[in-house]
Amino acid sequence: VQLQASGGGLVQAGGSLSLSCAASVHPFSRYSIGWFRQAPGKEREFVAGSSWNSGTTYGDSVKGRFTISRDNNKNTVYLQMNSLKSEDTAVYYCAARQGTLQTTTRYYNKWGQGTLVTVSS
């Protein structure tokens, strides 16, 4: 398994969760990592990304609420999710690609198994 997402669960609206993506890709520091989510009946959408060169990008719907960070020593990317809303309910996936961060799924060839986040209203 090259990517392992964890940390999902059930939380009330307004609450927080922290997701982790542990990657066994090498060299990890050269990989951009994206978080995507997919709600039932919807397409997978970009949530946040951590570029190999330390830049970050966020989807419009999570700006100001979610924070992505990475620890290259632990080969792990984190997604801190605050002020959660019912519309954040989805399966969250992390994905990796070498080089430039991309916000569309077709650029990623390595995916984790997904972790379910359920926000109750």
Side-chain angles (χ1 to χ4, degrees), residues 7-24:
L10 174 64
V11 64
Q12 288 188 331
S16 299
L17 274 178
S18 181
L19 305 183
S20 298
C21 176
S24 58

Side-chain angles (χ1 to χ4, degrees), residues 50-73:
S50 171
S51 175
W52 69 273
N53 63 356
S54 302
T56 57
T57 301
Y58 296 91
D60 288 341
S61 62
V62 307
K63 283 180 182 176
R65 300 188 298 123
F66 292 10
T67 303
I68 191 170
S69 61
R70 67 190 291 158
D71 185 338
N72 285 344
N73 292 323

